[in-house]
Each structure stands twice: as C-alpha cells, then as structure tokens.
PDB file of all heavy atoms in Angstrom:
ATOM      1  N   MET A   1      17.553  -3.338 149.818  1.00 82.00           N
ATOM      2  CA  MET A   1      18.831  -2.653 149.638  1.00 82.00           C
ATOM      3  C   MET A   1      19.896  -3.515 150.297  1.00 82.00           C
ATOM      4  O   MET A   1      20.295  -3.267 151.445  1.00 82.00           O
ATOM      5  CB  MET A   1      18.785  -1.245 150.251  1.00 82.00           C
ATOM      6  CG  MET A   1      17.714  -0.359 149.649  1.00 82.00           C
ATOM      7  SD  MET A   1      17.658   1.277 150.411  1.00 82.00           S
ATOM      8  CE  MET A   1      16.297   2.026 149.546  1.00 82.00           C
ATOM      9  N   PRO A   2      20.370  -4.532 149.619  1.00 82.00           N
ATOM     10  CA  PRO A   2      21.231  -5.515 150.284  1.00 82.00           C
ATOM     11  C   PRO A   2      22.639  -5.014 150.570  1.00 82.00           C
ATOM     12  O   PRO A   2      23.339  -5.609 151.400  1.00 82.00           O
ATOM     13  CB  PRO A   2      21.260  -6.672 149.273  1.00 82.00           C
ATOM     14  CG  PRO A   2      21.014  -6.045 147.965  1.00 82.00           C
ATOM     15  CD  PRO A   2      20.085  -4.891 148.221  1.00 82.00           C
ATOM     16  N   SER A   3      23.094  -3.960 149.962  1.00 81.00           N
ATOM     17  CA  SER A   3      24.499  -3.541 150.111  1.00 81.00           C
ATOM     18  C   SER A   3      24.642  -2.252 150.893  1.00 81.00           C
ATOM     19  O   SER A   3      25.658  -1.549 150.754  1.00 81.00           O
ATOM     20  CB  SER A   3      25.140  -3.378 148.724  1.00 81.00           C
ATOM     21  OG  SER A   3      25.124  -4.591 148.011  1.00 81.00           O
ATOM     22  N   LEU A   4      23.669  -1.900 151.738  1.00 83.00           N
ATOM     23  CA  LEU A   4      23.819  -0.704 152.564  1.00 83.00           C
ATOM     24  C   LEU A   4      24.915  -0.910 153.600  1.00 83.00           C
ATOM     25  O   LEU A   4      25.056  -1.999 154.174  1.00 83.00           O
ATOM     26  CB  LEU A   4      22.501  -0.364 153.262  1.00 83.00           C
ATOM     27  CG  LEU A   4      21.361   0.161 152.377  1.00 83.00           C
ATOM     28  CD1 LEU A   4      20.120   0.438 153.228  1.00 83.00           C
ATOM     29  CD2 LEU A   4      21.782   1.427 151.649  1.00 83.00           C
ATOM     30  N   PRO A   5      25.726   0.116 153.851  1.00 84.00           N
ATOM     31  CA  PRO A   5      26.795  -0.043 154.858  1.00 84.00           C
ATOM     32  C   PRO A   5      26.213  -0.180 156.274  1.00 84.00           C
ATOM     33  O   PRO A   5      25.188   0.425 156.601  1.00 84.00           O
ATOM     34  CB  PRO A   5      27.616   1.241 154.697  1.00 84.00           C
ATOM     35  CG  PRO A   5      26.662   2.227 154.104  1.00 84.00           C
ATOM     36  CD  PRO A   5      25.739   1.446 153.221  1.00 84.00           C
ATOM     37  N   LEU A   6      26.878  -0.971 157.082  1.00 81.00           N
ATOM     38  CA  LEU A   6      26.439  -1.223 158.456  1.00 81.00           C
ATOM     39  C   LEU A   6      27.297  -0.407 159.408  1.00 81.00           C
ATOM     40  O   LEU A   6      28.530  -0.380 159.296  1.00 81.00           O
ATOM     41  CB  LEU A   6      26.554  -2.710 158.800  1.00 81.00           C
ATOM     42  CG  LEU A   6      26.171  -3.132 160.226  1.00 81.00           C
ATOM     43  CD1 LEU A   6      24.699  -2.811 160.507  1.00 81.00           C
ATOM     44  CD2 LEU A   6      26.451  -4.611 160.437  1.00 81.00           C
ATOM     45  N   SER A   7      26.637   0.289 160.298  1.00 78.00           N
ATOM     46  CA  SER A   7      27.359   1.094 161.284  1.00 78.00           C
ATOM     47  C   SER A   7      28.173   0.190 162.193  1.00 78.00           C
ATOM     48  O   SER A   7      27.740  -0.911 162.558  1.00 78.00           O
ATOM     49  CB  SER A   7      26.358   1.916 162.108  1.00 78.00           C
ATOM     50  OG  SER A   7      27.017   2.623 163.127  1.00 78.00           O
ATOM     51  N   LYS A   8      29.389   0.694 162.549  1.00 74.00           N
ATOM     52  CA  LYS A   8      30.273  -0.121 163.411  1.00 74.00           C
ATOM     53  C   LYS A   8      29.765  -0.183 164.831  1.00 74.00           C
ATOM     54  O   LYS A   8      29.929  -1.190 165.516  1.00 74.00           O
ATOM     55  CB  LYS A   8      31.683   0.468 163.388  1.00 74.00           C
ATOM     56  CG  LYS A   8      32.327   0.418 162.013  1.00 74.00           C
ATOM     57  CD  LYS A   8      33.725   1.013 162.061  1.00 74.00           C
ATOM     58  CE  LYS A   8      34.371   0.952 160.677  1.00 74.00           C
ATOM     59  NZ  LYS A   8      35.737   1.547 160.675  1.00 74.00           N
ATOM     60  N   GLY A   9      29.177   0.885 165.295  1.00 64.00           N
ATOM     61  CA  GLY A   9      28.645   0.882 166.643  1.00 64.00           C
ATOM     62  C   GLY A   9      27.347   0.108 166.710  1.00 64.00           C
ATOM     63  O   GLY A   9      26.759  -0.277 165.700  1.00 64.00           O
ATOM     64  N   GLY A  10      26.874  -0.148 167.886  1.00 56.00           N
ATOM     65  CA  GLY A  10      25.635  -0.873 168.022  1.00 56.00           C
ATOM     66  C   GLY A  10      25.152  -0.874 169.447  1.00 56.00           C
ATOM     67  O   GLY A  10      25.821  -0.407 170.366  1.00 56.00           O
ATOM     68  N   VAL A  11      23.987  -1.448 169.669  1.00 54.00           N
ATOM     69  CA  VAL A  11      23.385  -1.544 170.993  1.00 54.00           C
ATOM     70  C   VAL A  11      23.691  -2.914 171.570  1.00 54.00           C
ATOM     71  O   VAL A  11      23.454  -3.937 170.913  1.00 54.00           O
ATOM     72  CB  VAL A  11      21.870  -1.302 170.924  1.00 54.00           C
ATOM     73  CG1 VAL A  11      21.245  -1.405 172.317  1.00 54.00           C
ATOM     74  CG2 VAL A  11      21.594   0.070 170.329  1.00 54.00           C
ATOM     75  N   SER A  12      24.265  -2.944 172.742  1.00 54.00           N
ATOM     76  CA  SER A  12      24.597  -4.233 173.356  1.00 54.00           C
ATOM     77  C   SER A  12      23.329  -4.974 173.740  1.00 54.00           C
ATOM     78  O   SER A  12      22.345  -4.369 174.146  1.00 54.00           O
ATOM     79  CB  SER A  12      25.476  -4.002 174.596  1.00 54.00           C
ATOM     80  OG  SER A  12      24.785  -3.195 175.534  1.00 54.00           O
ATOM     81  N   GLY A  13      23.379  -6.246 173.576  1.00 49.00           N
ATOM     82  CA  GLY A  13      22.253  -7.069 173.950  1.00 49.00           C
ATOM     83  C   GLY A  13      21.219  -7.227 172.873  1.00 49.00           C
ATOM     84  O   GLY A  13      20.204  -7.874 173.098  1.00 49.00           O
ATOM     85  N   SER A  14      21.468  -6.670 171.668  1.00 52.00           N
ATOM     86  CA  SER A  14      20.501  -6.816 170.591  1.00 52.00           C
ATOM     87  C   SER A  14      20.771  -8.124 169.870  1.00 52.00           C
ATOM     88  O   SER A  14      21.804  -8.278 169.209  1.00 52.00           O
ATOM     89  CB  SER A  14      20.599  -5.634 169.611  1.00 52.00           C
ATOM     90  OG  SER A  14      19.736  -5.839 168.542  1.00 52.00           O
ATOM     91  N   ALA A  15      19.905  -9.068 169.975  1.00 46.00           N
ATOM     92  CA  ALA A  15      20.126 -10.396 169.406  1.00 46.00           C
ATOM     93  C   ALA A  15      19.047 -10.792 168.412  1.00 46.00           C
ATOM     94  O   ALA A  15      19.012 -11.927 167.967  1.00 46.00           O
ATOM     95  CB  ALA A  15      20.191 -11.435 170.529  1.00 46.00           C
ATOM     96  N   GLN A  16      18.151  -9.936 168.100  1.00 67.00           N
ATOM     97  CA  GLN A  16      17.056 -10.287 167.189  1.00 67.00           C
ATOM     98  C   GLN A  16      17.413 -10.090 165.714  1.00 67.00           C
ATOM     99  O   GLN A  16      16.647 -10.460 164.854  1.00 67.00           O
ATOM    100  CB  GLN A  16      15.815  -9.447 167.543  1.00 67.00           C
ATOM    101  CG  GLN A  16      15.272  -9.739 168.930  1.00 67.00           C
ATOM    102  CD  GLN A  16      14.036  -8.936 169.245  1.00 67.00           C
ATOM    103  OE1 GLN A  16      13.599  -8.139 168.420  1.00 67.00           O
ATOM    104  NE2 GLN A  16      13.465  -9.130 170.436  1.00 67.00           N
ATOM    105  N   GLY A  17      18.574  -9.469 165.397  1.00 74.00           N
ATOM    106  CA  GLY A  17      18.985  -9.247 164.004  1.00 74.00           C
ATOM    107  C   GLY A  17      18.172  -8.197 163.300  1.00 74.00           C
ATOM    108  O   GLY A  17      17.978  -8.283 162.080  1.00 74.00           O
ATOM    109  N   LEU A  18      17.684  -7.222 164.041  1.00 79.00           N
ATOM    110  CA  LEU A  18      16.910  -6.142 163.441  1.00 79.00           C
ATOM    111  C   LEU A  18      17.802  -4.927 163.265  1.00 79.00           C
ATOM    112  O   LEU A  18      18.658  -4.639 164.113  1.00 79.00           O
ATOM    113  CB  LEU A  18      15.713  -5.793 164.331  1.00 79.00           C
ATOM    114  CG  LEU A  18      14.705  -6.927 164.553  1.00 79.00           C
ATOM    115  CD1 LEU A  18      13.584  -6.448 165.483  1.00 79.00           C
ATOM    116  CD2 LEU A  18      14.135  -7.403 163.236  1.00 79.00           C
ATOM    117  N   TYR A  19      17.574  -4.207 162.164  1.00 82.00           N
ATOM    118  CA  TYR A  19      18.387  -3.027 161.864  1.00 82.00           C
ATOM    119  C   TYR A  19      17.469  -1.867 161.537  1.00 82.00           C
ATOM    120  O   TYR A  19      16.308  -2.024 161.171  1.00 82.00           O
ATOM    121  CB  TYR A  19      19.342  -3.296 160.692  1.00 82.00           C
ATOM    122  CG  TYR A  19      20.364  -4.380 160.993  1.00 82.00           C
ATOM    123  CD1 TYR A  19      20.085  -5.715 160.703  1.00 82.00           C
ATOM    124  CD2 TYR A  19      21.580  -4.045 161.557  1.00 82.00           C
ATOM    125  CE1 TYR A  19      21.008  -6.701 160.974  1.00 82.00           C
ATOM    126  CE2 TYR A  19      22.515  -5.030 161.828  1.00 82.00           C
ATOM    127  CZ  TYR A  19      22.226  -6.353 161.534  1.00 82.00           C
ATOM    128  OH  TYR A  19      23.145  -7.328 161.815  1.00 82.00           O
ATOM    129  N   GLU A  20      18.026  -0.714 161.658  1.00 83.00           N
ATOM    130  CA  GLU A  20      17.319   0.516 161.385  1.00 83.00           C
ATOM    131  C   GLU A  20      17.985   1.229 160.206  1.00 83.00           C
ATOM    132  O   GLU A  20      19.214   1.303 160.135  1.00 83.00           O
ATOM    133  CB  GLU A  20      17.352   1.420 162.617  1.00 83.00           C
ATOM    134  CG  GLU A  20      16.558   2.697 162.476  1.00 83.00           C
ATOM    135  CD  GLU A  20      16.621   3.526 163.759  1.00 83.00           C
ATOM    136  OE1 GLU A  20      17.252   3.058 164.735  1.00 83.00           O
ATOM    137  OE2 GLU A  20      16.057   4.635 163.761  1.00 83.00           O
ATOM    138  N   VAL A  21      17.177   1.721 159.282  1.00 85.00           N
ATOM    139  CA  VAL A  21      17.691   2.451 158.127  1.00 85.00           C
ATOM    140  C   VAL A  21      17.800   3.919 158.518  1.00 85.00           C
ATOM    141  O   VAL A  21      16.801   4.552 158.890  1.00 85.00           O
ATOM    142  CB  VAL A  21      16.785   2.280 156.894  1.00 85.00           C
ATOM    143  CG1 VAL A  21      17.326   3.087 155.715  1.00 85.00           C
ATOM    144  CG2 VAL A  21      16.678   0.819 156.523  1.00 85.00           C
ATOM    145  N   CYS A  22      19.004   4.456 158.366  1.00 87.00           N
ATOM    146  CA  CYS A  22      19.268   5.831 158.751  1.00 87.00           C
ATOM    147  C   CYS A  22      19.660   6.646 157.528  1.00 87.00           C
ATOM    148  O   CYS A  22      20.252   6.122 156.586  1.00 87.00           O
ATOM    149  CB  CYS A  22      20.387   5.903 159.800  1.00 87.00           C
ATOM    150  SG  CYS A  22      20.059   4.896 161.287  1.00 87.00           S
ATOM    151  N   VAL A  23      19.355   7.926 157.586  1.00 86.00           N
ATOM    152  CA  VAL A  23      19.631   8.838 156.485  1.00 86.00           C
ATOM    153  C   VAL A  23      20.474   9.986 157.000  1.00 86.00           C
ATOM    154  O   VAL A  23      20.126  10.626 158.004  1.00 86.00           O
ATOM    155  CB  VAL A  23      18.332   9.385 155.863  1.00 86.00           C
ATOM    156  CG1 VAL A  23      18.649  10.302 154.674  1.00 86.00           C
ATOM    157  CG2 VAL A  23      17.425   8.254 155.442  1.00 86.00           C
ATOM    158  N   CYS A  24      21.598  10.218 156.285  1.00 85.00           N
ATOM    159  CA  CYS A  24      22.464  11.336 156.621  1.00 85.00           C
ATOM    160  C   CYS A  24      21.915  12.622 156.006  1.00 85.00           C
ATOM    161  O   CYS A  24      21.080  12.587 155.095  1.00 85.00           O
ATOM    162  CB  CYS A  24      23.874  11.080 156.107  1.00 85.00           C
ATOM    163  SG  CYS A  24      24.694   9.652 156.868  1.00 85.00           S
ATOM    164  N   PRO A  25      22.371  13.775 156.462  1.00 82.00           N
ATOM    165  CA  PRO A  25      21.951  15.033 155.828  1.00 82.00           C
ATOM    166  C   PRO A  25      22.323  15.097 154.349  1.00 82.00           C
ATOM    167  O   PRO A  25      21.641  15.761 153.559  1.00 82.00           O
ATOM    168  CB  PRO A  25      22.692  16.095 156.647  1.00 82.00           C
ATOM    169  CG  PRO A  25      22.902  15.461 157.981  1.00 82.00           C
ATOM    170  CD  PRO A  25      23.146  14.001 157.706  1.00 82.00           C
ATOM    171  N   SER A  26      23.369  14.405 153.958  1.00 81.00           N
ATOM    172  CA  SER A  26      23.749  14.397 152.538  1.00 81.00           C
ATOM    173  C   SER A  26      22.887  13.454 151.703  1.00 81.00           C
ATOM    174  O   SER A  26      23.007  13.442 150.484  1.00 81.00           O
ATOM    175  CB  SER A  26      25.218  14.000 152.407  1.00 81.00           C
ATOM    176  OG  SER A  26      25.434  12.685 152.923  1.00 81.00           O
ATOM    177  N   GLY A  27      22.030  12.659 152.360  1.00 81.00           N
ATOM    178  CA  GLY A  27      21.196  11.700 151.656  1.00 81.00           C
ATOM    179  C   GLY A  27      21.734  10.288 151.682  1.00 81.00           C
ATOM    180  O   GLY A  27      21.099   9.375 151.121  1.00 81.00           O
ATOM    181  N   LYS A  28      22.869  10.062 152.271  1.00 84.00           N
ATOM    182  CA  LYS A  28      23.447   8.726 152.341  1.00 84.00           C
ATOM    183  C   LYS A  28      22.640   7.847 153.293  1.00 84.00           C
ATOM    184  O   LYS A  28      22.208   8.290 154.362  1.00 84.00           O
ATOM    185  CB  LYS A  28      24.901   8.813 152.805  1.00 84.00           C
ATOM    186  CG  LYS A  28      25.582   7.466 152.949  1.00 84.00           C
ATOM    187  CD  LYS A  28      27.000   7.623 153.459  1.00 84.00           C
ATOM    188  CE  LYS A  28      27.672   6.273 153.641  1.00 84.00           C
ATOM    189  NZ  LYS A  28      29.052   6.402 154.152  1.00 84.00           N
ATOM    190  N   LEU A  29      22.422   6.590 152.936  1.00 85.00           N
ATOM    191  CA  LEU A  29      21.701   5.617 153.754  1.00 85.00           C
ATOM    192  C   LEU A  29      22.699   4.646 154.368  1.00 85.00           C
ATOM    193  O   LEU A  29      23.672   4.228 153.707  1.00 85.00           O
ATOM    194  CB  LEU A  29      20.680   4.854 152.912  1.00 85.00           C
ATOM    195  CG  LEU A  29      19.586   5.669 152.210  1.00 85.00           C
ATOM    196  CD1 LEU A  29      18.677   4.733 151.400  1.00 85.00           C
ATOM    197  CD2 LEU A  29      18.773   6.452 153.211  1.00 85.00           C
ATOM    198  N   PHE A  30      22.428   4.255 155.600  1.00 85.00           N
ATOM    199  CA  PHE A  30      23.246   3.234 156.262  1.00 85.00           C
ATOM    200  C   PHE A  30      22.370   2.510 157.276  1.00 85.00           C
ATOM    201  O   PHE A  30      21.265   2.956 157.616  1.00 85.00           O
ATOM    202  CB  PHE A  30      24.485   3.851 156.926  1.00 85.00           C
ATOM    203  CG  PHE A  30      24.177   4.767 158.073  1.00 85.00           C
ATOM    204  CD1 PHE A  30      24.155   4.292 159.390  1.00 85.00           C
ATOM    205  CD2 PHE A  30      23.884   6.115 157.866  1.00 85.00           C
ATOM    206  CE1 PHE A  30      23.854   5.131 160.447  1.00 85.00           C
ATOM    207  CE2 PHE A  30      23.594   6.947 158.902  1.00 85.00           C
ATOM    208  CZ  PHE A  30      23.579   6.459 160.206  1.00 85.00           C
ATOM    209  N   LEU A  31      22.870   1.388 157.762  1.00 84.00           N
ATOM    210  CA  LEU A  31      22.137   0.546 158.706  1.00 84.00           C
ATOM    211  C   LEU A  31      22.727   0.706 160.099  1.00 84.00           C
ATOM    212  O   LEU A  31      23.948   0.832 160.263  1.00 84.00           O
ATOM    213  CB  LEU A  31      22.193  -0.924 158.278  1.00 84.00           C
ATOM    214  CG  LEU A  31      21.520  -1.281 156.958  1.00 84.00           C
ATOM    215  CD1 LEU A  31      21.683  -2.774 156.673  1.00 84.00           C
ATOM    216  CD2 LEU A  31      20.049  -0.911 156.976  1.00 84.00           C
ATOM    217  N   SER A  32      21.869   0.660 161.052  1.00 83.00           N
ATOM    218  CA  SER A  32      22.268   0.694 162.451  1.00 83.00           C
ATOM    219  C   SER A  32      21.435  -0.335 163.199  1.00 83.00           C
ATOM    220  O   SER A  32      20.252  -0.522 162.897  1.00 83.00           O
ATOM    221  CB  SER A  32      22.044   2.096 163.033  1.00 83.00           C
ATOM    222  OG  SER A  32      22.382   2.110 164.414  1.00 83.00           O
ATOM    223  N   LYS A  33      22.067  -1.016 164.120  1.00 81.00           N
ATOM    224  CA  LYS A  33      21.336  -2.018 164.889  1.00 81.00           C
ATOM    225  C   LYS A  33      20.216  -1.366 165.676  1.00 81.00           C
ATOM    226  O   LYS A  33      20.403  -0.336 166.311  1.00 81.00           O
ATOM    227  CB  LYS A  33      22.283  -2.738 165.847  1.00 81.00           C
ATOM    228  CG  LYS A  33      23.283  -3.639 165.134  1.00 81.00           C
ATOM    229  CD  LYS A  33      24.126  -4.426 166.138  1.00 81.00           C
ATOM    230  CE  LYS A  33      25.078  -5.359 165.394  1.00 81.00           C
ATOM    231  NZ  LYS A  33      25.916  -6.134 166.350  1.00 81.00           N
TER     232      LYS A  33
END
C-alpha cells in the first residue's frame, strides 16, 4: 500500500524506518512510526 498517509506525530529516536499500519474506527488506514 504505497500511498497510505503518514501520521505527523512520531516517536523520537526511531531511526530504523519501520512503520505501523493503523486502522481508524471508520476503516481508514494510515501509517505511524
């Protein structure tokens, strides 16, 4: 899913480039560090 939106917030110190796929109650998917 190359075009998932990326959350603006994030965890400081994360340098490995790993993301987590999150699901909203409405079914929307987005990425979070």
Side-chain angles (χ1 to χ4, degrees):
M1 301 179 182
S3 299
L4 290 180
L6 178 62
S7 176
K8 296 180 180 179
V11 180
S12 60
S14 176
Q16 296 182 359
L18 299 179
Y19 296 90
E20 184 179 358
V21 178
C22 304
V23 182
C24 296
S26 61
K28 178 182 178 181
L29 301 179
F30 66 93
L31 296 179
S32 178
K33 291 185 178 180

